[in-house]
Amino acid sequence: MTSIQVAQRGTGLLRVFNEAGVLSAADVHVAVRLGRLGREDSEDVLFAAALAVRAVRSGSVCLELARMREIGVDADESRDGAPGVDPATLPWPETDRVLTALRASPLVQGGQAGPLRPLRVVEADADGGALLYLDRYYQQEQTLRRALVERGADHPVIDTALVRAELDRLFADSLGEGPDRQRLAAALAATHWTTVVAGGPGTGKTHTIARILALLTAHRRATPKLAALRIALAAPTGKAAARLQEAVRDQAAELGLPELTASTLHRLLGWQRGRTTRFRHHAHNRLPYDVVVVDETSMVSLTMMSHLFSALRPDTRLILVGDPDQLASVDAGAVLADLVAGPVVGVPNPALRELLTSDTGSASTGTRAGEETGSGSDPAVVTEAADGISTGDGSGMSANSSVREGDSLSALEMRRLRGGIVRLTRGRRFGGRIADLAVAVRAGDADAALAILRAGGDDVSLCGPDDIRAVRADVTTAALAVTEAAQAGDAVGALAALESHRLLCAHRQGPFGVERWDRMAAEWAAAGGAGPEGPQAVWYPGQPLLVTANDHEARIYNGDTGVIIRRPDGSLRAALQRGSEPYLVHPTQFPSVVTVFAMTIHRSQGSQYDTVSVVLPEPESTLLTRELLYTAITRARTHVRVIGTEDAIRAAIARRVLRASGLTRNP
């Protein structure tokens, strides 16, 4: 653990909260610097500025002034050997006093030092209290809000009869009662400029993407005078982009799609190192595509999303895909979750209503038995019973009917559909107790989650922090299987064995961190006979790898995992997962790579393993959140093992990521 760094220039509240670990030295330095530039010496204003900097560093877009007392000790700050400070005992200033000081501050209003306004205050409205922004993030949020409103003001012109026929063709295997939400997603993409397709693991998001593209391609081909549809596939990371590309290409022949290439968002926008305009594509040089699909959108920050929206032509369809309940971007913002939870933007589309209306003209919006319409203050988790991973709710429509609202769509879902938002609900990747556990965690039901874990069984288990027998056995078994396949040159078998078990941690360092558990797992594997062939061996068969930098030309991406295998001629190659065929590269081609037996839960996003062992830190850890636990649980296909105390589980489920944003409020 690292000790607290004290900013020497900090005084008063800045000093007290810095020494307590609530503020970092960097937070204090930025606040003091802003005060000097703007000739502001109010202790309350400088304290609020430091908290706004900390908010961004912690992933929020802004600071909710009314909730500033809820801010805890920074996860990266601690006192070596000293007891922690309870933030509730600190001298927090009154919110009204801080807001009054901010209203008069030259950092908000501008002053004699010039027009510099590094802080923005958005006053209270019916949706909540005042928000304090660093100006950069306020401008980015406004850019995104304006783009959403403008893109929702009208709709694409479509041939509804053709779209209905294509929906029937593409979703011909959708049988059963209730709505097929994959089909709904395709209908939305045809009728909206901006579509959000939300869904948990295994709900068929990439399956849906491919069919959306097939629908739009067929619609374009029906107008011979128009050029072929220009499609861009993108994701926030190279690994996610490669996975999206493979998933779409696997379905391309069946659906009549052209060969498509995915890229990172940075590459799509044309990253320019050292240029005044960060990206080649922007508001004055728009992207040349008719359709842009972004996968893993939960990992996209506000900054990147504002750049993307600025670079889109008004007539470009944008399809955002991801799981809003997973961990959000490392940088500020949780845009996908905000869009799903926020107010519906845009005007109703008669074409969508025509597609949703049954053959008899029914367009009711009742709620099916057992489906909640939702209430309370968190619209992101309304209709948990309907949207839960385990329940799914209806597998689709008959091939010869339109998408029906009927009595199986809640009023909330209908409102979301009008705004271009749909949540896929039918989990196909896993079920049983893993799904029940994920739903309980997502719903914030600690009692139900603990009951599932205590009961145990074939697919879930709970171990105390010192009970490592089961995880050691799984680590050793997986390592031996990987090594056996790698020695035989079986790249497919080695990669499959590598995904049979994964050890996940919340922290990087400390007794519950990746560094310690990775070292222990490597020792367990070596003791079992799966380790280096000699003390000098840099590479060895069965060695698990994690790529930590991109090399686009070599098709190697940050976050890729792989394994060293021995070829028939005795040489070594690294096998990386690439669809059905592994991608083999020489180990020296890696831009940066480490041996990995354990990884952070953040790193695991987008991946799946047969068994997952999750190491939870102590309850006091601010990294321990509901989103973190949900993400870890949903990495598993067949078994989840939670290593930790019941108090840690309760703390995780009770603690939500506090990512303040104005996007969830009405304009």
Side-chain angles (χ1 to χ4, degrees):
M1 301 289 282
T2 57
S3 59
I4 296 171
Q5 293 184 343
V6 177
Q8 297 303 314
R9 294 180 179 178
T11 59
L13 288 174
L14 293 177
R15 183 80 175 194
V16 171
F17 281 79
N18 180 197
E19 291 179 342
V22 174
L23 296 174
S24 72
D27 302 333
V28 174
H29 284 311
V30 172
V32 171
R33 177 67 173 166
L34 289 178
R36 290 186 174 181
L37 289 174
R39 298 180 185 176
E40 173 61 86
D41 57 7
S42 165
E43 184 178 20
D44 288 337
V45 170
L46 298 182
F47 176 65
L51 287 180
V53 175
R54 186 203 191 278
V56 168
R57 186 168 53 81
S58 301
S60 289
V61 174
C62 55
L63 171 69
E64 291 185 74
L65 289 172
R67 300 182 65 180
M68 64 181 176
R69 291 173 180 263
E70 298 177 28
I71 297 173
V73 174
D74 197 314
D76 296 328
E77 303 284 345
S78 69
R79 291 179 176 276
D80 292 335
V85 175
D86 181 359
T89 64
L90 296 173
W92 295 92
E94 291 298 322
T95 302
D96 289 344
R97 191 182 85 191
V98 173
L99 184 55
T100 299
L102 285 168
R103 287 176 181 141
S105 173
L107 298 182
V108 174
Q109 301 296 335
Q112 295 179 352
L116 178 69
R117 297 173 61 195
L119 301 180
R120 291 276 184 155
V121 175
V122 176
E123 290 282 10
D125 57 19
D127 295 310
L131 304 177
L132 176 64
Y133 291 82
L134 299 180
D135 185 66
R136 171 188 173 187
Y137 295 94
Y138 173 79
Q139 298 297 344
Q140 290 174 357
E141 191 175 275
Q142 291 303 107
T143 296
L144 184 54
R145 187 188 290 277
R146 283 194 301 270
L148 286 167
V149 171
E150 291 169 3
R151 292 174 61 81
D154 63 5
H155 303 97
V157 177
I158 65 166
D159 181 337
T160 53
L162 173 62
V163 169
R164 181 182 287 109
E166 286 300 312
L167 290 172
D168 289 342
R169 178 180 71 87
L170 294 167
F171 298 92
D173 58 348
S174 297
L175 302 174
E177 297 180 357
D180 178 359
R181 285 171 174 78
Q182 294 184 355
R183 179 173 173 139
L184 281 172
L188 286 182
T191 56
H192 287 71
W193 295 121
T194 305
T195 303
V196 177
V197 182
T203 50
K205 294 189 293 293
T206 52
H207 176 89
T208 304
I209 289 171
R211 276 150 183 77
I212 287 173
L213 296 178
L215 169 63
L216 298 178
T217 299
H219 193 272
R220 174 60 68 93
R221 286 174 181 161
T223 310
K225 294 181 180 180
L226 296 179
L229 203 66
R230 295 166 295 180
I231 300 170
L233 305 178
T237 67
K239 177 183 177 183
R243 189 171 57 250
L244 172 62
Q245 176 177 300
E246 292 158 13
V248 172
R249 285 186 176 181
D250 285 347
Q251 304 172 71
E254 171 194 354
L255 299 174
L257 289 173
E259 184 171 301
L260 298 171
T261 300
S263 69
T264 63
L265 282 169
H266 277 80
R267 199 168 192 183
L268 175 71
L269 293 173
W271 169 258
Q272 301 181 120
R273 188 183 301 275
R275 299 286 294 273
T276 52
T277 53
R278 180 177 297 183
F279 295 105
R280 183 162 52 90
H281 292 290
H282 44 73
H284 305 294
N285 182 29
R286 304 294 179 95
L287 288 164
Y289 300 104
D290 302 302
V291 181
V292 174
V293 177
V294 181
D295 197 14
E296 297 290 357
T297 309
S298 63
M299 300 167 63
V300 181
S301 68
L302 172 67
T303 299
M304 179 55 70
M305 197 68 83
S306 68
H307 283 301
L308 173 63
F309 271 82
S310 294
L312 291 174
R313 298 196 331 255
D315 61 347
T316 295
R317 282 182 172 90
L318 174 65
I319 301 156
L320 302 175
V321 187
D323 185 352
D325 298 307
Q326 279 192 183
L327 288 165
S329 163
V330 174
D331 297 320
V335 178
L336 180 65
D338 288 345
L339 293 179
V340 172
V344 171
V345 176
V347 297
N349 187 355
L352 176 64
R353 175 159 289 278
E354 186 176 343
L355 290 173
L356 291 176
T357 303
S358 69
D359 296 339
T360 60
S362 171
S364 59
T365 59
T367 303
R368 190 179 47 186
E371 184 170 307
E372 300 174 13
T373 56
S375 60
S377 60
D378 190 356
V381 294
V382 237
T383 65
E384 287 294 345
D387 293 348
I389 295 171
S390 65
T391 58
D393 48 359
S395 58
M397 300 289 298
S398 61
N400 63 356
S401 66
S402 59
V403 179
R404 299 172 189 262
E405 296 173 60
D407 60 358
S408 53
L409 287 173
S410 70
L412 173 74
E413 283 188 285
M414 287 305 302
R415 287 196 299 274
R416 292 279 173 249
L417 288 175
R418 288 196 293 271
I421 300 167
V422 63
R423 186 190 280 267
L424 306 183
T425 62
R426 188 183 181 194
R428 295 165 172 83
R429 184 171 295 162
F430 53 70
R433 305 297 276 172
I434 295 176
D436 293 342
L437 179 60
V439 169
V441 170
R442 196 178 77 169
D445 192 340
D447 290 338
L450 283 168
I452 293 168
L453 287 168
R454 290 191 200 108
D458 293 335
D459 42 9
V460 297
S461 58
L462 175 62
C463 299
D466 299 322
D467 184 1
I468 61 173
R469 291 170 296 175
V471 66
R472 177 169 183 166
D474 276 351
V475 166
T476 304
T477 299
L480 288 172
V482 171
T483 300
E484 181 180 356
Q487 290 282 18
D490 180 5
V492 173
L495 288 169
L498 190 66
E499 291 189 350
S500 65
H501 179 262
R502 178 60 73 199
L503 185 55
L504 301 179
C505 303
H507 288 264
R508 295 186 180 279
Q509 300 175 324
F512 308 100
V514 165
E515 289 185 4
R516 175 174 179 261
W517 284 83
D518 188 77
R519 184 174 61 253
M520 288 195 305
E523 292 170 355
W524 297 338
E533 298 174 323
Q536 305 302 319
V538 177
W539 311 104
Y540 61 90
Q543 181 178 4
L545 304 174
L546 173 67
V547 178
T548 57
N550 289 323
D551 185 337
H552 292 283
E553 292 185 2
R555 293 176 57 206
I556 298 171
Y557 305 109
N558 185 6
D560 272 342
T561 53
V563 61
I564 298 294
I565 65 166
R566 190 186 301 281
R567 302 179 70 185
D569 62 4
S571 64
L572 299 179
R573 290 292 185 273
L576 303 176
Q577 191 71 60
R578 288 288 185 274
S580 58
E581 290 295 326
Y583 179 49
L584 301 183
V585 299
H586 195 281
T588 58
Q589 284 187 259
F590 286 118
S592 180
V593 67
V594 296
T595 301
V596 60
F597 286 92
M599 65 171 56
T600 62
I601 296 170
H602 270 91
R603 276 279 190 186
S604 73
Q605 288 191 94
S607 300
Q608 290 288 308
Y609 310 96
D610 294 337
T611 296
V612 168
S613 296
V614 186
V615 180
L616 298 184
E618 294 173 331
E620 295 77 20
S621 170
T622 55
L623 292 180
L624 190 58
T625 64
R626 185 185 305 179
E627 291 81 359
L628 186 93
L629 184 56
Y630 169 84
T631 300
I633 289 168
T634 54
R635 299 311 93 203
R637 297 189 188 99
T638 60
H639 189 91
V640 172
R641 176 185 297 112
V642 177
I643 303 171
T645 65
E646 292 193 3
D647 285 345
I649 294 167
R650 287 190 180 279
I653 294 174
R655 185 183 293 118
R656 303 211 64 179
V657 173
L658 292 176
R659 291 217 164 183
S661 162
L663 286 177
T664 56
R665 300 186 176 190
N666 288 310

